[in-house]
């Protein structure tokens, strides 16, 4: 699924399922930051705790609430990608949490021109 990133996008990740969602930044000016939003919804019966979020390089940053997420509630992972030069890229984001499917693997791909 290709989507232009002129706006934020949302993907739902279920707490007990292992889903490997990928967001595609279409072709964009490499001087401009790109933003994505992944939403994790706690469909379990206990608190969802995110212990750590790791990215495959320093050009990708993730901001999120460190507070536990109650059953039925959601937490946003706000991703910022800053290209250092024109390139085609495929960056991974690994979310370590107390879900049975942990770690969750997310990806952002695109082409900075």
């Amino acid at each position: 699924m290709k989507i232009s990133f002129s706006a934020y996008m949302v993907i739902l990740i279920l707490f007990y399922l292992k889903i490997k969602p990928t967001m595609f930044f279409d072709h964009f000016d490499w001087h401009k930051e790109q933003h994505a939003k992944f939403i994790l919804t706690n469909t379990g019966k206990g608190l969802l705790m995110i212990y750590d979020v790791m990215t495959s390089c320093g050009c990708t940053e993730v901001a999120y609430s460190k507070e536990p997420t109650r059953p039925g509630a959601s937490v946003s992972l706000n991703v910022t990608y800053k290209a250092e030069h024109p390139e085609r890229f495929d960056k991974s984001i690994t979310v370590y949490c107390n879900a049975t499917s942990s770690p969750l693997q997310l990806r952002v791909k695109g082409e900075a021109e």
Side-chain angles (χ1 to χ4, degrees):
M1 174 167 105
K2 280 197 162 197
I3 302 173
S4 175
F5 259 66
S6 57
Y8 287 103
M9 294 180 298
V10 176
I11 289 185
L12 174 68
I13 303 170
L14 297 177
F15 184 55
Y16 283 111
L17 298 178
K18 186 164 188 167
I19 301 173
K20 296 183 181 179
T22 300
M23 289 197 188
F24 293 95
F25 295 117
D26 208 357
H27 299 267
F28 63 92
D29 179 348
W30 72 273
H31 294 98
K32 296 182 180 178
E33 287 184 355
Q34 299 298 298
H35 301 276
K37 184 184 289 188
F38 291 92
I39 295 182
L40 281 66
T41 298
N42 183 351
T43 62
K45 295 182 180 179
L47 293 174
L48 171 62
M49 306 286 290
I50 297 177
Y51 303 125
D52 199 8
V53 176
M54 304 293 291
T55 60
S56 58
C57 78
C59 59
T60 307
E61 297 176 357
V62 182
Y64 61 96
S65 172
K66 311 299 190 267
E67 297 298 318
T69 304
R70 288 183 270 169
S74 300
V75 60
S76 297
L77 300 177
N78 299 299
V79 179
T80 301
Y81 172 74
K82 300 175 190 172
E84 296 173 354
H85 50 79
E87 67 176 344
R88 183 172 295 183
F89 63 91
D90 180 357
K91 305 299 179 183
S92 65
I93 301 159
T94 306
V95 181
Y96 296 94
C97 62
N98 64 333
T100 56
S101 57
S102 182
L104 302 172
Q105 297 294 318
L106 311 174
R107 300 189 89 71
V108 289
K109 296 180 177 185
E111 188 152 350
E113 300 176 331

